Each structure stands twice: as structure tokens, then as C-alpha cells.
Amino acid sequence: MATKVSGTSNTRFKQDERRRDSDHVSFLKHRRFRWLWIALVLSGISIAGFVLIDQEPRPNGGTWYGYTLGTIGLGLIIWLSLLGVRKRRINPGAWSLKAWTSAHVYLGLSLIVIGTLHTGFQIGWNVHTLAYVLMLLVIATGIYGVIVYATLPASLSANRKEMTRAQMLDALTAIDRQLESAAQPLGRADADWVIAALEQDTFHGGALGRLTGRYPRCATARALKGMAGSSGAVDRVIALLEKRRDQLTQIRGALRIRALLEIWLFIHIPLTIALIAALTAHVISVFYYW
Amino acid sequence: MAEIFAVAIVGSGPAGLSAAARAAALGVSHVLLEKTDHLSDTIYKYQKGKHVMATPSNLVLRSDVDFDAGKRETILGIWDEQIAGHKVNVKYHAEAKAIRGTGDPIPGSIQQIVTRARDGTKSVKEIQRCAPPYAIELTSGETIMAENVILAIGTQGNPNRMRCPGGDLPHVQYQLDDPAEYVDEHIVIVGTGDAGIENARGLAEDPAQRNTVSILNRGTEFPTAKDANVKALLADHEAGKLIVRTESETKSVEPGFITLTTRDGELRIPCDRIIARIGSAPPRLFVEECGIEFSSEDRTAFPKLSPVFESTAPGIFVIGALAGYPLIKHCMNQGHDVIEFINGNTELKPADEPIIAAKFADLPGNRSTDEWLEFLRTRVSILNGMNPLQMREFMLDSTARYFAPGEVIFERNAPGSSLFGIASGSVAVEVNPADPSITIPIEAGSIFGEVGLISGRRRGATIRAAEDTIVVEISRLAALKLQSQVPAAKKAIERISIERQLLQMFGSGLKSEDVAPLVEAAQVQEKRAGEIVVTEGADDKDIFIIRRGSMIVEKQVGDRPVFLSYLPAGSYFGEMAVIDGSARTATVKAAIKSEVIRLPGEGFLELLERNPALRERALKDMAGRRATNAFIESRKGEFSGAVDLYSQTAQFLVDNGIGEATDVLLIDEKLCIGCDNCEKACADSHDGLTRLDREAGKTYAHLHVPTSCRHCEHPHCMADCPPNAIKRGPDGEVFIDETCIGCGNCQRNCPYGVIRMDAKPPKKPSLLQWMLFGSGPGPGEASYSWRKKAAEKEDAPKAKLAIKCDMCSGIEGGPACVRACPTGAAIRVSPDKFLTFTKLTEDVE
């Protein structure tokens, strides 16, 4: 049982104590909005420069100030896109993904100012404007992401009710097994309703169903409407079908919230790749026609 | 009566068969008694294909039978072959029932057997020991005669038997090897522990077997089974796969039927087979009745043995797990050695000699191993009561170290649960962290570090060697063993620890004479989780120190108890009522199983009167506590919602074991987006297997306690680790080192289910390869199928070993789970810092 006394162990203890003492806040509030302030200062300086510096012949991307803004913007875009690598590569390094996310959000927003000033408000049907528009779309999807990250997790947790995804599916399987044996005494018509409910794919409904949480073709709901008999066996089956419907509601709720939390990434990331391609074209063409 | 063997060996496990092989090789007349029809039943019962480990790797094997790490089948095969090759005289189906001497009574040699009834009364039975030869009575009625007996029966004991009429019928069995073996049967399982539940579910798993399975539960709860097992069982019951019969006991058994006593009267149901899984009786009583004395009444105590493994019954030797050595290599070496000793080879040095010699190699002063052992034993007062064999074993888990004057032995706030004994020299304790020049000496012969051992918390002070000093560092395990073997040592440690705790707590220049009357009057009391120590409104006047565990303070406000604060080990409470003579202002109860030192109030008052400085400090502490209470009570009026939230969240966390944690992962579900990046980061930081399950676990008010190690103050997992592979590391983390043998004890002992058994998967292609070419499974834990396929490509199959969180020890930046959380939902906290009003009501968004 080593009571190792070494410099490193003591630093680690201090680091651990700092972690245990530290405030517990979201990425938006990280370090008292450190990155928000940095982004605001960066934007403020860019605007002040734009207003105060006399750009000849007129403000655009080709003046020395325009080049400066463009270089900063390009650097930021490249760095921001590296978040995807960062979050998949935890070691080595003593960094935190929360700080990176915080910086990503606020510096990303500051690109609206820097990018716009870089254009010098010259918009046209060309690859330069394409890059600008793609950038704004990436930022817009990002803003959606920030909003859902800040608002949806609580409902995801409430919907979960301490169950894991695997447990939700297990619960459904358990109900299905009971349904199958409870449905044995039913008549042909009623049994068909149950069979249809059991045979339907839990994940039917496609992307639309997932995002809206509406499943108009849900066979379980239809079975509940359609069951006609009124014997004890039918009542038991109806009770089980209601359990099945509630379990499906929970699973679909989880799917819907997770879909809303993830859907924007399917736009944000391809758009980022398109943006980088457009930027490459933009930069090459600018230097080619220097 | 037929021949009298020179040696009879009872039990054919690794220890017994190694002894038998040695006896055969030396030509000593012998018999090896095995109760089943195969050798080494414990290993035989391992699951098929289990990889058996051979630790400790630095110990040489000294046996006529080979053993190396490998598959269960391979090892058993080698043993069967070699035992046959040595022409060992094995007698199967020979279960010893009693062993008694047949010679003259040995004058003055009387064995006292103390049995404790459930109501706490003791009864003592006396047995007159008789000289050899011994008669070994078998359950078959046969008797075997031998001059010497070697008991190598392990610690598994025998399964408890059914005692109702018909319980001895052949269709009553105590084990289930292969659930797939039985079809079309009515099977009743008795006992709802994990074994019973697993058997019942196994038999009912495949409907094609058409078994009708019922499981009997005496009550309605399942106190001895794992939660997951109980849930699965009840789900199977719901699904109609099997029948759980609660409040049912067996009344009688007859071929084809079983009669049960249930709440609603008697019930007779068809039954072709009964599987009884009702626990097992430890072999202690049988051993004691052979005339073998144990070192103490402690449940975990081992038999008293001489350096040659001879017990208090002359001619009966005890080796292997029963003697306290659970590892296969130790057992086999002892089997070899004990036969050598019996055969007159007294010069033989134990096989662990080089290991122990290495422990003394760096110490100044040329002494032999035996001299060093004797030096430590006589110089360190708590070791005086041990015998040389115990001292050897003790040294295997301990280290002897030399420190030059001024050298640091340990630092304040370093983790550590080992105990130190000073063999020569002396040490200085830096009692004031602000001024290292103020020290208190501790002299040779005494101990230090006991607070870390008892409370499981970090070191309270830096300790340096004051002169040339030799100390023995006693690991937590060795210290616990020592206390159970030598009651006097336990008392001494307890007394010193109480005195030191008082001195440390009240500081202010007190001397041990000042607190002597209080130490004399102090009582150590154990409190179970939830037990109330102080009741609000009562007018008792004692004061308490928390020695281990932790307490929570509650106050009745309106109609509900409100959580006021959390008190970790080392805190004291109850002083307010003593100082100002008022009634108790709050209720204090144990958060987890704890120990308190109870001090009489008058003694404390006297101490205060004699020490004005101490009085001042106590009053200051008291004012601080009053302020906290008043703050919460004042808040109650204005923001009762916040106080309720605080109080209930704190209670929820304590209920989920946070009270015994030192560093625990929590997830704020107001921030968690469910990306599982924490799990992926964990897997990528540790051999590709995650050590946490984010989704599993309880949640209250959006605070989620995932399945992840809490690094308990007194880790449950450490309780029963045969190679002693679970340790507390330099940063306070509880980790499993490479000597793990994959036995799964820790997994079973962990109440929070955070240990998994799995084989280390092969290396994945790099992140870049995955991102650019899509090769490999990507970040995070690879799927089971990928791991299985990749492992098959590699030649050597890897053993399933225990894996758990090590708090990312040695990884720059600390725990990857926290660092990898994109939104700040994952936090790691310690209870004393987190269970406060500010932290629990913090607005995170």
C-alpha cells in the first residue's frame, strides 16, 4: 500500500481538490462566461477597426484590414471544425470538452460579425458569397443546437424515469410475451388486432415519426380502438395493450427528444464540410486573380 | 482394523494433492480422501473454459505436481495424469465426518468449543484431546486410521441440507451443473439467494425443455440476492415462465410430490426434482471438533498453527485456504512442505523465503530473515503477541523501511490506510500545517497512521523521521488480520487511536495526560446505517466522535425532517448540549455503517474547565454550527422550495451510497444530452472497456447517480480478494492491479455493481484510420461481436479479469469522464464538499 510521496501526487491532489471544489455549471456559463466576453471583445475590436480604419478604395475583403479579418475568420473556422476531432480524442492533454464547447459556441457566434465585416457588405452570385452564406447556415444550425442543448435534457431525463434504453425495450418484450399468451382465447377478429400490434416494427414511422412523435399507423393504438369483444380475456388483453401503448409512448418520447438533439448535426457537419470546400475555392481564387 | 497410514490427507484440492504427490514420491504410506468422485472439486466446479491464474508470479512453485496459468480443463487434466503417474493412493467418495485420537488422553490438553446462539448466549463444550493414531470416520461408516492427518479441506464448507422429512431422498440435490440437462420435469428450487435464482431462471429459460419450475421464498422479500437477479426473476414470473412462491416453506418431501406450508395453509404439488440452494455451513465446527483451536472467536479467524503447520491437536496439520492461504501456489507449496516436515526434514525453509528476504535487503544492519522477523516482533509492541508463522505471513503483506533523519514518511492529505509500527528510532508529527516546526514525537515501539486505517480517510498530518528510524508499514489487510488474530493488538490500536483522535480534534497543546481520564471513559460503539445516535429534544449529555463512516444531521421543521449537514469521519458532535446544558437541537444518525467514540459529557466539561484555549475553540465551533442551522431555518420561511429540494436531494444522495464515497461521478440531467461521450472517453482511456454505465442508476430532481465507482472510504470490494490485488492508489483511487486472478469476489461484494468482468480487447485501429477510411469500430467501447472477432484473430485467449474505475490515475488532466462531457453535466464530487446547501441548490444553467 504505497503512501507514495512525490511531487506529482501532490499536484494531482491539488488538481483533484480544485475539481471537487469547482462550481458546477453548464458550458454556457463556463468560467463566468469567459468565452462570451472574449467573443464580445473580438467582435467589438473588429467593428471599431472597420469604422475607424480608412479602407481604400472601399471596405472589402481585398484591403489589408479585409485580409486580416479574413485570416482570423478562416483560422477560427478551421479551429471550430476541429471540435469533432477533439471530442473523440480524450488523451493526451489536460483539457476539458466543456471549455471547448463553450469557446466553440461563443467564437462561432462572433464569426457572424467578423465574416460580415470581411465581405465589406459586397454580396453577389459567386463562390465568395456562397462561402459566406454557408457559414451563416452553419451558425444558424449551431444556434438551434445550443437552444436544444439548453432546453431538452430535462425532458429527456423526465421521460426516462430511471430506465435505460435497453430496459425500455426489455419491458416492451415482457409485455409482448404476456400479450401473446393472454390473446390465445380471443376470437379471430380480436386476435388479428393483437397480432398486427405485435408484428409491427417498434421503430416504424421513419424520420418524420421520430421527429414529431406522431405515429398515425400505430397498430397498438388501432388495436385498442378496434377490440370489440367484452369477455374477461378481452379485458385482460386491453389492459396489456394499454401498458404496451404507454411503453411505446416512453420509447417514442426518448427517440423524439434524442432525434431533436441530434438532427441538427446532420446538417451542421455536412454544411461545415461544404463550407470548408467553398472556403478553399474562395481563398485559391482570390490569390489566383490577385 | 486394517493398516494405519503414516499420513491421511483430507481434501484433494491443490494443497491436498500436492501433499499426496510428495508423500507418494517419498514412499510414505498415505491415503488421499476426497468426498466426490473427482479431484479438486472447487476448481472442478469453475465454469467451463475458465482461465485460472497463477499468482503471485514471484513465488516459486515447489511441488511434485505441475501448475501454471491456463484453462481449467488443462490444469485438471495435468493433475489427474500426474496423480495417477505418482501412484497416489486416492480414495474417492470418502467424506470425513469426525476425526479423533485413539491413543491415551493428553494430560491438560482440553479443547473448548464456544458456540454462540442467536440470542447472544454462549455455550461451551469441552473435548479431551487424545494422542494419535487418529481415527477418521467417514460418512459411509468406514474408519481410516492414520498417525498424522493433514486437513486441506478449504473454506467452502458443505451445503446446508434440507431438514424436513424426506430431505434425504435421492431426488433432492444441492447443485445444478447444466440446466439444459432436465426436460419435462416439475422442479422446485428452495432458497432465493443468487444461486437459487440463477438455477431457477436457467431451468425455465428455454420453453422447449417444458419444465415446470417453482422457486420457494420463505418471506416476501429477497434480502440475500442481487437486485438485478430479483428483477429478472420477477419478470420471468410475470411472463409465466416460472412460479415464485412467496411465504412458502417445505414441510415434507416424498417421491413425485412436495408439501409446502404457505400463508393459506398446506399445499401439495407435483415435484420430480428439488434443488436446495440454502447456503453452506463453514467448516469451522467440524475443525474445532477435531481438537483444533482457532486464534480468536472472530468469524474470519484461522486455526492456531506452529511454524510447521501443526495445529493444537498434535499430529493434525492444517494447510491451504483453511490455514489462511487462498492462492493455489501457496497451497501446493504447503502441501509439499508439510510432508517434508512430517518426514523429519526440519531444515526446510519456506518457499516464500526469498520474497521475505527481499523485504529486508535494503535495511541497515546485517541480520538474517529470522532475526529481522524477531527484531520487528519484539520491538513493535502490537506485534508481540504473534507466533513466528503468523509473523512470516504478516510480513508478506507488509514492508520494512528505513528513513534517514528528517525524511518524510507520509504527507498530510496523502491517501493511505496502512498502519506503521516503529521498530527503532522515533518520528515527529507536524501537528500544525501552517508551522512545520511544531511537532509531537512518537517513540520506538509505538504505532502511527492508525487514523487512516480506521477512518479510511486521508492522512491528517505530515510525519517525518526524527532520527535513524526503521518502521514496518502494515498494509490495511495485514492490520485487519493482525487485529483479528491478536486481541491485545486490537485493544492497543483502539486505545491509541482514541487518544490521538482526541488530541488531534481539540489540538490546542493538549497532552496525553490531559485526555487520559476521557480515554479511559471512552466507549467505541458501532452504528448501523440509519441508526439514530442523538435525538432532537432529548436531554442526554454525551459527546461523540465519528471514528469511521459518516453521519447526517437533521432537524424537524414543521412536519418534515430537514437535512442540515453531513459529518465525515473525524468530526465530533453533541457538544452543544454539554456546553450550554440545553436539550439536543437536532437529530444525528448514521449515513452508513459507522463507529463512534462516545465520551461522557462531564469528563469533557472538566477538560474544558482546565483548558481555556480549548474552551474558546469549542465555543467558536459551536457558533459556526449554530449559524448553519439558523441559516437553513431562516431560509425555510422564505424559500421553502429550495430547502425542500436541498434536503431531499441530500437524502437521496446519502441513500445511494454517497455517504461512504470519497470521489463519485454524478450527472446533472438538466445538462446531459445523452451523447455517452463520458463512456466513450472512459473506454478509450482504459484498454477499450468502459468502467461506467451512464444510463443505469437512480435519479432524483434531475441529479443522476450512474453506475460508477465511488471509491468508498472502506471499499467493499477489498473485503475478500485472494491475491490482495485491490489497493488504494496515490491519488485516493481504489484500483485493481495486474495480480487479479479473475475470481469475481469483488464484483459480488460491491453493493453498487460497478465492477465488471471482461477480457481486455485487442487494440483498435487509430482514430485517424477510422475517420478517413472507416476502419475499426470507432471511438468508445467496441461492440461485443467486434471484440470477440478481433480476439479470435489473436492467438492467446485472454482471461476475464475484474475491471473498475481507477479515477484515470496517471492520466494527465484527471478523470476522462468529466473532461469529455461537452455540456458540463458530468461532475465528480466528494460528499463533504458537495452535500452543502450552496452546491445542491446551485443554478447550473
Side-chain angles (χ1 to χ4, degrees):
Chain A
M1 276 280 214
T3 24
K4 200 162 76 186
V5 183
S6 70
T8 54
S9 114
N10 221 337
T11 1
R12 173 69 191 260
F13 174 67
K14 280 185 196 138
Q15 182 191 323
D16 283 344
E17 282 292 276
R18 241 196 337 265
R19 164 170 61 76
R20 288 185 282 251
D21 275 328
S22 68
D23 288 343
H24 152 213
V25 290
S26 73
F27 64 103
L28 292 174
K29 274 189 178 178
H30 176 70
R31 297 262 162 122
R32 302 182 181 191
F33 299 102
R34 172 191 282 184
W35 292 101
L36 172 62
W37 289 113
I38 293 176
L40 283 176
V41 168
L42 186 62
S43 309
I45 292 174
S46 309
I47 292 172
F50 191 82
V51 174
L52 297 177
I53 293 168
D54 192 14
Q55 298 181 64
E56 285 301 328
R58 56 148 297 162
N60 80 11
T63 65
W64 71 264
Y65 189 65
Y67 274 125
T68 310
L69 288 177
T71 311
I72 294 174
L74 179 69
L76 275 178
I77 288 170
I78 300 296
W79 181 81
L80 290 169
S81 66
L82 287 177
L83 182 73
V85 180
R86 179 79 288 179
K87 79 168 188 187
R88 292 177 174 86
R89 190 174 159 82
I90 293 305
N91 299 306
W95 50 275
S96 105
L97 191 60
K98 178 166 93 169
W100 271 67
T101 321
S102 190
H104 184 89
V105 167
Y106 291 120
L107 294 179
L109 287 172
S110 75
L111 270 178
I112 301 177
V113 174
I114 294 169
T116 307
L117 295 180
H118 173 65
T119 64
F121 303 99
Q122 289 174 310
I123 305 293
W125 292 102
N126 52 36
V127 72
H128 316 296
T129 302
L130 173 66
Y132 176 66
V133 171
L134 282 173
M135 184 194 80
L136 289 183
L137 286 174
V138 170
I139 295 173
T141 52
I143 292 173
Y144 167 85
V146 171
I147 292 169
V148 291
Y149 273 27
T151 53
L152 289 184
S155 48
L156 183 68
S157 159
N159 178 68
R160 216 160 70 75
K161 297 195 189 77
E162 299 190 344
M163 280 172 100
T164 66
R165 282 162 284 176
Q167 283 167 343
M168 291 179 202
L169 291 175
D170 284 350
L172 191 67
T173 317
I175 295 169
D176 285 359
R177 235 183 354 234
Q178 292 173 49
L179 253 179
E180 200 175 334
S181 54
Q184 296 306 324
L186 296 189
R188 184 73 249 170
D190 282 345
D192 281 346
W193 286 118
V194 176
I195 291 168
L198 290 179
E199 279 180 351
Q200 190 173 44
D201 177 14
T202 315
F203 301 107
H204 83 283
L208 196 68
R210 238 176 230 218
L211 284 169
T212 57
R214 279 176 217 278
Y215 294 80
R217 298 157 62 84
C218 173
T220 307
R222 286 184 180 182
L224 272 169
K225 262 194 219 135
M227 296 285 284
S230 60
S231 63
V234 172
D235 290 344
R236 259 199 308 282
V237 168
I238 287 180
L240 283 168
L241 279 172
E242 279 167 352
K243 261 172 105 176
R244 185 173 208 275
R245 181 195 54 204
D246 294 345
Q247 189 53 58
L248 277 175
T249 308
Q250 188 190 22
I251 294 173
R252 288 169 182 168
L255 285 176
R256 178 172 166 266
I257 299 167
R258 286 185 67 97
L260 289 173
L261 279 168
E262 283 169 10
I263 179 76
W264 64 281
L265 286 169
F266 289 93
I267 307 170
H268 191 72
I269 289 161
L271 277 183
T272 304
I273 293 168
L275 167 62
I276 291 172
L279 270 181
T280 314
H282 161 68
V283 172
I284 291 175
S285 64
V286 164
F287 282 104
Y288 190 77
Y289 297 107
W290 186 294
Chain B
M1 206 159 292
E3 90 175 284
I4 298 183
F5 294 102
V7 191
I9 301 144
V10 186
S12 71
L17 59 86
S18 173
R22 189 71 202 147
L26 291 177
V28 176
S29 83
H30 67 278
V31 61
L32 176 61
L33 305 177
E34 167 53 49
K35 70 177 174 190
T36 66
D37 62 356
H38 46 257
L39 295 175
S40 200
D41 189 48
T42 303
I43 293 170
Y44 187 87
K45 278 191 196 145
Y46 283 178
Q47 75 187 55
K48 280 179 197 150
K50 181 179 162 80
H51 184 90
V52 181
M53 310 278 283
T55 53
S57 51
N58 57 350
L59 183 69
V60 291
L61 181 71
R62 190 149 76 183
S63 174
D64 297 282
V65 184
D66 291 333
F67 169 61
D68 209 344
K71 268 194 179 169
R72 160 194 175 271
E73 288 74 13
T74 321
I75 293 168
L76 289 174
I78 292 173
W79 286 352
D80 282 341
E81 197 180 297
Q82 296 191 345
I83 286 296
H86 282 293
K87 301 206 169 23
V88 172
N89 178 22
V90 191
K91 191 172 169 62
Y92 291 107
H93 302 294
E95 182 175 357
K97 194 166 72 177
I99 302 173
R100 54 192 166 74
T102 56
D104 299 329
I106 306 170
S109 183
I110 287 166
Q111 155 88 342
Q112 290 197 327
I113 302 175
V114 183
T115 36
R116 236 179 242 252
R118 280 219 173 141
D119 56 8
T121 54
K122 282 191 209 173
S123 57
V124 179
K125 188 166 123 190
E126 294 197 338
I127 295 178
Q128 168 67 53
R129 291 196 190 92
C130 295
Y134 286 98
I136 305 170
E137 250 178 74
L138 304 184
T139 44
S140 62
E142 215 179 322
T143 303
I144 306 275
M145 295 296 291
E147 282 297 332
N148 296 290
V149 179
I150 297 172
L151 275 188
I153 56 176
T155 50
Q156 292 226 316
N158 291 320
N160 288 335
R161 305 266 156 182
M162 305 253 311
R163 279 182 300 200
C164 62
D168 49 356
L169 288 170
H171 68 292
V172 179
Q173 63 189 57
Y174 297 91
Q175 207 200 329
L176 174 68
D177 292 319
D178 182 6
E181 211 175 305
Y182 306 108
V183 288
D184 277 328
E185 286 193 14
H186 288 268
I187 305 177
V188 175
I189 318 279
V190 186
T192 45
D194 286 316
I197 292 178
E198 278 159 20
N199 286 176
R201 295 196 60 228
L203 286 164
E205 180 60 40
D206 186 359
Q209 281 175 250
R210 296 179 305 276
N211 289 320
T212 309
V213 180
S214 352
I215 180 163
L216 307 186
N217 185 358
R218 220 185 261 198
T220 51
E221 305 284 314
F222 300 83
T224 56
K226 273 203 202 111
D227 206 34
N229 267 338
V230 175
K231 279 199 187 127
L233 178 75
L234 294 177
D236 283 357
H237 175 71
E238 286 267 303
K241 286 173 121 184
L242 47 75
I243 307 156
V244 179
R245 296 182 184 275
T246 51
E247 294 179 70
S248 305
E249 286 183 65
T250 31
K251 181 164 181 265
S252 64
V253 177
E254 57 200 291
F257 285 94
I258 183 169
T259 308
L260 310 175
T261 340
T262 69
R263 203 186 51 190
D264 309 321
E266 275 183 21
L267 182 69
R268 186 164 176 268
I269 54 171
C271 167
D272 308 313
R273 183 177 305 280
I274 296 175
I275 299 174
R277 303 307 300 260
I278 41 183
S280 62
R284 175 154 179 168
L285 188 64
F286 163 74
V287 177
E288 283 187 319
E289 282 179 343
C290 300
I292 298 168
E293 204 177 308
F294 278 67
S295 57
S296 77
E297 276 180 41
D298 201 292
R299 224 167 39 85
T300 55
F302 298 113
K304 277 190 184 166
L305 298 178
S306 78
V308 295
F309 305 106
E310 192 165 15
S311 69
T312 49
I316 301 188
F317 297 78
V318 179
I319 55 172
L322 182 62
Y325 298 87
L327 296 179
I328 296 176
K329 261 193 188 172
H330 281 147
C331 293
M332 296 183 72
N333 286 351
Q334 289 171 0
H336 172 278
D337 292 357
V338 74
I339 293 290
E340 288 288 330
F341 293 140
I342 292 173
N343 204 33
N345 179 0
T346 49
E347 291 303 298
L348 185 73
K349 290 270 182 215
D352 54 26
E353 177 76 14
I355 298 175
I356 295 190
K359 292 189 181 254
F360 298 121
D362 297 334
L363 297 186
N366 269 325
R367 290 188 169 91
S368 72
T369 310
D370 285 337
E371 284 166 352
W372 272 120
L373 286 172
E374 199 52 18
F375 176 77
L376 296 180
R377 196 180 73 80
T378 49
R379 295 296 188 91
V380 179
S381 60
I382 57 163
L383 304 181
N384 294 165
M386 286 210 278
N387 66 34
L389 187 70
Q390 283 171 332
M391 194 62 209
R392 269 200 109 81
E393 190 202 332
F394 163 84
M395 208 53 223
L396 283 175
D397 290 330
S398 307
T399 44
R401 289 157 69 183
Y402 163 79
F403 290 95
E407 208 176 329
V408 172
I409 300 177
F410 58 66
E411 262 177 43
R412 187 166 178 272
N413 280 333
S417 50
S418 54
L419 178 70
F420 290 80
I422 310 174
S424 70
S426 66
V427 301
V429 187
E430 291 175 10
V431 281
N432 184 346
D435 182 359
S437 67
I438 305 175
T439 60
I440 289 181
I442 299 178
E443 302 302 328
S446 189
I447 54 167
F448 60 91
E450 74 292 335
V451 176
L453 170 70
I454 293 165
S455 70
R457 297 176 66 85
R458 290 167 181 277
R459 302 293 191 191
T462 298
I463 293 193
R464 288 173 191 279
E467 50 193 301
D468 285 325
T469 302
I470 292 175
V471 298
V472 55
E473 181 176 1
I474 308 164
S475 70
R476 176 176 178 273
L477 190 76
L480 295 179
K481 233 189 243 173
L482 167 71
Q483 292 183 71
S484 87
Q485 282 174 343
V486 187
K490 186 182 166 98
K491 269 213 187 87
I493 295 173
E494 196 165 289
R495 205 198 129 87
I496 293 177
S497 77
I498 292 176
E499 183 186 302
R500 300 254 174 88
Q501 210 131 26
L502 281 171
L503 290 177
Q504 193 182 347
M505 196 174 87
F506 300 126
S508 325
L510 286 185
K511 294 202 179 55
S512 60
E513 303 90 82
D514 298 331
V515 294
L518 263 185
V519 175
E520 235 21 84
Q523 274 177 297
V524 173
Q525 295 180 334
E526 201 163 281
K527 304 284 172 195
R528 41 179 186 24
E531 192 174 338
I532 291 176
V533 185
V534 162
T535 313
E536 184 179 351
D539 53 5
D540 53 318
K541 293 281 180 280
D542 288 333
I543 172 162
F544 299 87
I545 305 174
I546 306 169
R547 192 169 182 255
R548 66 175 278 176
S550 54
M551 301 274 154
I552 53 177
V553 187
E554 277 180 358
K555 193 171 173 62
Q556 202 71 24
V557 177
D559 53 349
R560 290 197 280 280
V562 166
F563 184 98
L564 288 183
S565 53
Y566 166 88
L567 300 175
S571 336
Y572 66 102
F573 59 90
E575 81 290 355
M576 290 188 200
V578 179
I579 295 176
D580 61 11
S582 59
R584 300 289 192 191
T585 54
T587 295
V588 181
K589 61 183 188 186
I592 47 165
K593 189 175 157 217
S594 305
E595 272 175 28
V596 293
I597 305 171
R598 184 189 201 116
L599 305 167
E602 308 87 63
F604 181 64
L605 276 182
E606 276 167 36
L607 187 70
L608 287 189
E609 261 158 45
R610 283 196 308 263
N611 296 278
L614 174 58
R615 188 186 173 76
E616 210 163 287
R617 220 195 106 186
L619 286 174
K620 215 167 93 192
D621 283 357
M622 198 167 93
R625 284 186 180 178
R626 284 255 155 88
T628 317
N629 296 2
F631 170 75
I632 302 239
E633 276 184 69
S634 71
R635 281 302 174 101
K636 183 69 196 168
E638 303 160 41
F639 310 103
S640 83
V643 171
D644 278 350
L645 177 71
Y646 159 67
S647 177
Q648 280 155 19
T649 310
Q651 190 59 52
F652 160 76
L653 290 173
V654 167
D655 290 345
N656 279 281
I658 309 306
E660 62 178 319
T662 60
D663 199 301
V664 56
L665 176 66
L666 298 179
I667 292 191
D668 188 326
E669 293 203 333
K670 281 191 298 243
L671 297 175
C672 177
I673 53 167
C675 65
D676 282 330
N677 219 35
C678 44
E679 286 186 15
K680 288 179 194 150
C682 182
D684 286 343
S685 305
H686 302 102
D687 303 330
L689 293 172
T690 175
R691 291 134 184 239
L692 77 99
D693 185 343
R694 176 190 61 82
E695 267 191 318
K698 301 258 183 234
T699 311
Y700 180 80
H702 298 302
L703 202 54
H704 177 64
V705 186
T707 300
S708 155
C709 181
R710 290 133 163 87
H711 301 278
C712 298
E713 287 178 347
H714 293 278
H716 304 271
C717 51
M718 275 188 198
D720 188 13
C721 175
N724 192 17
I726 306 182
K727 297 182 174 133
R728 195 178 282 281
D731 302 315
E733 76 279 11
V734 176
F735 72 99
I736 304 178
D737 73 14
E738 69 291 344
T739 61
C740 171
I741 56 172
C743 67
N745 281 358
C746 51
Q747 188 192 32
R748 285 185 286 277
N749 283 332
C750 174
Y752 307 112
V754 306
I755 299 181
R756 63 186 278 197
M757 309 293 301
D758 228 319
K760 183 177 156 183
K763 226 173 138 45
K764 294 186 292 193
S766 74
L767 181 66
L768 204 64
Q769 279 173 292
W770 174 75
M771 286 189 117
L772 296 181
F773 312 112
S775 54
E781 181 172 308
S783 67
Y784 177 73
S785 54
W786 186 88
R787 284 184 277 143
K788 203 173 161 208
K789 222 186 262 165
E792 273 164 10
K793 276 187 217 148
E794 295 192 343
D795 302 334
K798 291 213 180 73
K800 283 190 176 177
L801 299 180
I803 53 171
K804 68 176 285 299
C805 169
D806 62 357
M807 250 160 77
C808 284
S809 159
I811 293 178
E812 191 193 351
C817 46
V818 175
R819 287 195 294 121
C821 180
T823 61
I827 49 174
R828 293 198 72 103
V829 300
S830 63
D832 41 342
K833 290 181 188 291
F834 193 68
L835 291 177
T836 61
F837 188 79
T838 1
K839 289 270 181 182
L840 285 182
T841 54
E842 211 161 31
D843 181 21
V844 296
E845 276 283 343

